[in-house]
Amino acid sequence: MSARYLLPRRLSLVAIGLTLSIMLGSVALAEIFKPNKFWAEHLGEPHYAQIVPRAFGDWVELPTAGRVVVDPVQAENLARIYTETLARTYVNKRTGRVLMLSIAYGRDQSTDTQLHTPEQCYPSQGFRVIEETDEALHSPYGDLKAVRMVTRLGERPEPLTFFIRVGDSVVRGSRERNLARLRMAVQGYLVDGMLLRVSEISFHNEQSFALQTQFIDDLLRAVRPDDRSKLIGTVASR
Amino acid sequence: MASSLNQPAMAAPAASWLPISGDVAWLSLGLFAMFVPTLFELFQNNDAGLWNKGEHSHGPIMLTLAMWLLVTRWRTFVEQSSSPLKGHWLAWPCYVIGAALYVSGRALGIIYFEVGAFIPMLAGLVLMSGGLPLLNQLKFPVFFCIFMVPLPGFLLDPISHFIKLRISISVSELLWAFGYPISHTGVVLNIGPYQLLVADACAGMRTLFMLEAMGIFYLNVIKHSSWLRNLGLAMLIVPISFTANMIRVIVLTLITYHLGDEAGQGFLHGFAGIVLFASAMLLLMGIDRMLRWLSTRTGAST
């Protein structure tokens, strides 16, 4: 008799039971729907330093004699955000023009460790963004949703082209990136993400953009088909 | 005779045993089953452990404050046992909304859905236990839980960036006026031979958010009678936290300039964090004082 008074109940057993089954049911449902496969494993872990050839088409890597001084704080941040980063400088054998290639790769994009786009990081390093246009690059492997930017640091002009792959497709903008992430999650995959950026120090924007497009084309042609899907996904753009 | 003796005996053990009734204990178990894994993940020491990282590390403090308020106010709740629970059925839609948020958030990795689901679930639990009168009493702690929800990046990043840029500009202009060799490019400050990056953790959305939460908490606990003071303080928290952040960046910049890079990044970096909160609190209290003085003056004159 007295045991009843220790924890007096007033609600009906039905109400409590129904509440508990909603609560526990949602825990179970979440577990069932939760993606558990890494898209990176499905692709085969990309190692861009090996995928991207040191010489292809008219392009040869320019060996940098003295390494660039790296800010340790920044290096630590990069390591936290990205699984792998690649920065190379290529010279065109015919014209002698120099392009900078930068690839940032994050294996798991399902949390907030998302790729930082040049739209954010160029201004925070003191670059002024003079112009920004969405551009579909017509590659032999489908259209790529790329972004072109004209930036300037003091007197240094740096036009650049970049695109982002999330999981199986190239997407543009944070909304599309999140939608791609959700679409892959529904299929049961944890997405990876890659940002490829090509830039040149040049005052001639149009010429530079044409050369950057050429570079991306040459690169996509030079890599093996299954490596290509690590650069632009399997359904180039949506 | 027997029944009149029985009446207090029924109530007394329940009150001393647990401040909550058995219903609440059962419902809480379900709530724990849902959110203990979430808490565990928020606290873990990797990239998913948001509460371990700068931008979101105010979460546990917010949760503790909300729960403390919830428990203390729940205990003071006096029930009108004669009337049936009013608005009791409203618990069901709350549960459904909460469960939908929870399942989609957890399955698709949308953390602000997952943590946000705690609010409707908690509201449902409160409604079920005491109906609308209880929810009315506990609405502030339930609302306060919103401050522990990690903000989504699409909201956080642009605002953070704006604040950091503004702070960099103001600090470099101010110190330049005092004759320091300082300039800024974007959010990078150049002072003498040093280069300082105004990072997210230094002066982002987090401190603003946290100070705003603390301010609202302060206002709710103090319960000023004067509307001028309440409203004034709530609005002034934004510039206060901006100023406090600026003071912190100035302190760090000067430490680095005069004592060297190691001092600026080492022990004194933590010290600057204390400076931030101390200056924010002092500013808040100072303005509170001023507003009190103003309101008593206007109160006296009218």
Side-chain angles (χ1 to χ4, degrees), chain B residues 153-217:
Chain B
F154 66 84
L155 219 77
L156 196 67
D157 292 341
I159 303 175
S160 258
H161 188 259
F162 176 80
I163 297 173
K164 287 189 303 186
L165 204 61
R166 284 290 127 202
I167 284 186
S168 311
I169 293 168
S170 319
V171 167
S172 70
E173 274 174 5
L174 191 73
L175 288 183
W176 177 255
F178 278 95
Y180 281 96
I182 189 169
S183 69
H184 78 99
T185 42
V187 296
V188 178
L189 289 171
N190 297 291
I191 182 159
Y194 301 106
Q195 211 178 45
L196 297 139
L197 174 76
V198 180
D200 279 346
C202 298
M205 197 41 191
R206 177 195 158 229
T207 42
L208 178 82
F209 201 57
M210 186 151 165
L211 288 169
E212 183 73 51
M214 292 305 229
I216 289 176
F217 185 81

Side-chain angles (χ1 to χ4, degrees), chain B residues 208-280:
Chain B
L208 178 82
F209 201 57
M210 186 151 165
L211 288 169
E212 183 73 51
M214 292 305 229
I216 289 176
F217 185 81
Y218 172 79
L219 288 180
N220 189 269
V221 172
I222 297 291
K223 283 204 197 302
H224 284 314
S225 50
S226 158
W227 266 103
L228 177 68
R229 262 170 81 191
N230 276 330
L231 206 68
L233 274 178
M235 286 192 311
L236 282 168
I237 292 164
V238 176
I240 285 174
S241 85
F242 185 88
T243 315
N245 264 318
M246 240 182 86
I247 293 173
R248 179 182 171 174
V249 174
I250 289 172
V251 166
L252 267 183
T253 312
L254 291 182
I255 287 172
T256 308
Y257 183 67
H258 290 292
L259 304 174
D261 189 33
E262 271 170 40
Q265 291 306 313
F267 158 72
L268 288 170
H269 201 102
F271 170 72
I274 300 168
V275 169
L276 167 78
F277 277 95
S279 47

